[in-house]
Amino acid sequence: MMLLARKSLFAALALLAISQSSAFTPSSFTQRNTVAFDLRIDTTIKSSVLPFPTGEKLKDIQPTLGKDDLYVENINEPPRAGTLMKMLPKDTWNIDTPTSLFYFGVDFAAVAATMGFLNVVVTSDNYHSLPIWLQGLSVAPLQVLTGFAMWCMWCIGHDAGHSTVSKNKSINRVVGEIAHSVICLTPFVPWATSHRKHHLGHNHLERDYSHQWYIREENEDVHPVIKFAQETRLLQLPILYFAYLFLGIPDGGHVLFYGRMWEGASMKKKRDAALSVIVSFATAGSFWYNMGTADFAVVCMAPWCVMSFWLFMVTYLQHHSEDGKVYTDDTFTFERGAFETVDRNYGKWINRLSHHMMDGHLVHHLFFERVPHYRLEEATKALDKGLAERDQGHLHKKIDTPNFTQEIIKQFDENWFFVDEKQVVRE
């Protein structure tokens, strides 16, 4: 009897517990339990605070996470510059003057040797005994080689323009004047002025320098001169750098000081720039006077055209890709613009001889006044590792471009300076 009484008491307490829990159980759950003595009890569970919302009602009360919520990280948003700096080795920031001057000396010797040998060939009796067409064929390989050496020297002047040859301003200026104003016939200070503006506004729809951006869907509304330039784009490839320097398209003149790059410039700045122009004209005039028009054209200007082709090709392909974006005032940040830069692999030795201008350009754009060219390769590897650890490796645009001459012709013919409206990030 006591055992039966205990069982009955236990059953009663269980039923009481179930009934007390009804306020915390959804009302949609109904259960009929059978207990001892064949007693059937209705245990329908009801609640004053439920049922739980579902469907559209759930959407109405679900909190929406804002873009600034700290616990949500957008892996498609580039890290800030300070975060990126921490990914790179300490040596990245070491601007070593002797190392810089070593590369400058090597490239200077390469230009002197190739151009000197070309001049010896052109002034020889054997050369002048050949028909004109054969003269052209015989010196073309030397002109291409000399032009490439000039391009490598241009890259050293590029470092000088960013103050990464040395921490000494005078050394940067002297190297820049020799590399650019003398050898590459590119007035150093005007170029450095416009180029810095390019870095500050890279991939901005309106503020970018060196690159003019036009929206493809608005092609019919552009100025007739611009439309003509687009229609004759392939014919302009050999002279685009000349047009950039002398005609001031699109930034403003690098020889005559007009256009947007000189707006607000002081007279002191213009006098300083004029010195670079004088050096370039004095160099060109001296060679022209002593060599004569024909030899000057063959020995100096033909390689200069090769150099300018390298410069335009590398610069264009660095900033144009199928998925590239441009930004407006509402959406532009320095990091977003920098990460639209494309690192291209032209081949191991071309990359090295060109001082990693092609395959280390993202790091250069992120820290354009901090990293010398001989630190770019290791810094790029470290950047890749750091981005991968944040699951953001996809932000680094890298394209193998072994057939670079075909690629520039293809891309420039198909796209010119157009971007599609969908590539413009407006909000």
Side-chain angles (χ1 to χ4, degrees):
M1 287 294 292
M2 289 184 67
L3 179 61
L4 181 60
R6 287 179 180 177
K7 289 183 177 180
S8 300
L9 178 61
F10 177 81
L13 290 173
L15 289 174
L16 179 62
I18 292 174
S19 63
Q20 290 298 318
S21 65
S22 63
F24 303 97
T25 309
S27 60
S28 58
F29 293 106
T30 304
Q31 181 178 348
R32 301 182 66 85
N33 295 336
T34 303
V35 297
F37 312 114
D38 197 30
L39 178 64
R40 302 182 64 85
I41 300 175
D42 188 350
T43 58
T44 302
I45 302 173
K46 298 180 181 180
S47 170
S48 60
V49 296
L50 299 175
F52 294 130
T54 59
E56 295 300 321
K57 291 183 178 179
L58 180 62
K59 292 181 181 180
D60 292 339
I61 65 171
Q62 178 69 38
T64 301
L65 300 180
K67 64 179 182 179
D68 296 323
D69 288 330
L70 296 179
Y71 49 90
V72 177
E73 185 171 11
N74 183 1
I75 63 172
N76 294 318
E77 182 67 27
R80 302 295 291 179
T83 301
L84 294 165
M85 288 182 72
K86 297 176 183 177
M87 299 179 186
L88 307 185
K90 291 182 179 180
D91 282 349
T92 299
W93 324 107
N94 182 16
I95 299 173
D96 184 61
T97 302
T99 302
S100 300
L101 293 180
F102 168 77
Y103 285 106
F104 170 71
V106 169
D107 285 344
F108 186 91
V111 172
T114 54
M115 185 174 287
F117 185 55
L118 177 58
N119 184 60
V120 169
V121 171
V122 169
T123 56
S124 68
D125 293 337
N126 289 336
Y127 174 81
H128 286 285
S129 66
L130 299 174
I132 293 179
W133 65 272
L134 196 52
Q135 288 179 352
L137 287 178
S138 66
V139 298
L142 281 173
Q143 290 171 327
V144 171
L145 187 60
T146 304
F148 182 72
M150 293 171 67
W151 152 247
C152 297
M153 176 57 83
W154 189 95
C155 296
I156 298 297
H158 173 265
D159 262 21
H162 286 298
S163 301
T164 53
V165 165
S166 173
K167 294 180 180 179
N168 185 299
K169 292 182 179 180
S170 297
I171 293 176
N172 284 312
R173 179 62 183 269
V174 171
V175 170
E177 292 291 353
I178 295 173
H180 274 195
S181 300
V182 174
I183 294 177
C184 298
L185 299 182
T186 299
F188 175 64
V189 172
W191 167 83
T193 300
S194 64
H195 190 64
R196 190 173 190 277
K197 292 176 182 292
H198 159 61
H199 274 275
L200 293 174
H202 43 206
N203 279 69
H204 189 287
L205 182 61
E206 298 174 346
R207 298 207 309 264
D208 199 352
Y209 274 63
S210 305
H211 294 273
Q212 47 197 349
W213 301 101
Y214 296 100
I215 299 175
R216 198 183 305 271
E217 289 82 352
E218 299 175 1
N219 183 30
E220 298 302 322
D221 300 329
V222 300
H223 192 279
V225 173
I226 301 300
K227 193 172 184 64
F228 175 77
Q230 188 269 331
E231 293 172 349
T232 59
R233 55 196 176 278
L234 290 183
L235 297 176
Q236 300 169 30
L237 271 176
I239 62 169
L240 279 173
Y241 192 49
F242 179 87
Y244 174 72
L245 292 178
F246 284 84
L247 302 182
I249 301 172
D251 299 341
H254 289 63
V255 176
L256 300 175
F257 305 148
Y258 64 92
R260 62 172 182 162
M261 67 179 282
W262 298 106
E263 293 176 0
S266 66
M267 186 56 64
K268 180 181 179 181
K269 177 70 173 179
K270 291 180 180 179
R271 285 197 301 267
D272 195 33
L275 179 60
S276 295
V277 175
I278 292 170
V279 172
S280 290
F281 270 89
T283 302
S286 177
F287 276 100
W288 194 348
Y289 177 79
N290 287 284
M291 299 174 69
T293 300
D295 288 356
F296 175 72
V298 173
V299 175
C300 297
M301 293 313 298
W304 186 89
C305 289
V306 173
M307 177 214 72
S308 66
F309 178 80
W310 271 100
L311 174 57
F312 178 78
M313 173 178 66
V314 171
T315 304
Y316 182 91
L317 293 178
Q318 284 167 344
H319 295 284
H320 292 80
S321 60
E322 297 297 332
D323 61 344
K325 302 181 184 68
V326 293
Y327 299 90
T328 65
D329 284 341
D330 293 330
T331 58
F332 176 82
T333 67
F334 179 82
E335 291 84 1
R336 285 179 178 177
F339 270 89
E340 294 307 315
T341 300
V342 184
D343 279 353
R344 292 184 180 265
N345 177 20
Y346 284 45
K348 178 179 178 180
W349 285 104
I350 293 181
N351 292 342
R352 287 185 175 181
L353 292 171
S354 300
H355 307 296
H356 298 289
M357 181 68 72
M358 301 90 153
D359 62 329
H361 210 61
L362 172 58
V363 171
H364 170 65
H365 261 262
L366 286 168
F367 308 107
F368 59 93
E369 292 183 336
R370 299 288 305 277
V371 185
H373 74 265
Y374 42 85
R375 310 289 185 196
L376 291 174
E377 186 175 20
E378 291 303 316
T380 298
K381 293 177 182 178
L383 178 67
D384 278 339
K385 181 180 178 181
L387 289 174
E389 291 173 353
R390 294 170 55 94
D391 294 325
Q392 291 185 296
H394 62 284
L395 294 179
H396 188 182
K397 300 175 184 288
K398 293 180 286 187
I399 302 176
D400 284 336
T401 315
N403 302 317
F404 40 83
T405 52
Q406 295 94 316
E407 185 67 14
I408 181 60
I409 293 173
K410 173 179 176 291
Q411 290 292 337
F412 195 63
D413 182 43
E414 292 180 357
N415 297 310
W416 190 57
F417 296 105
F418 282 133
V419 290
D420 297 329
E421 175 59 40
K422 65 181 181 181
Q423 294 176 271
V424 182
V425 182
R426 299 188 182 276
E427 59 183 23

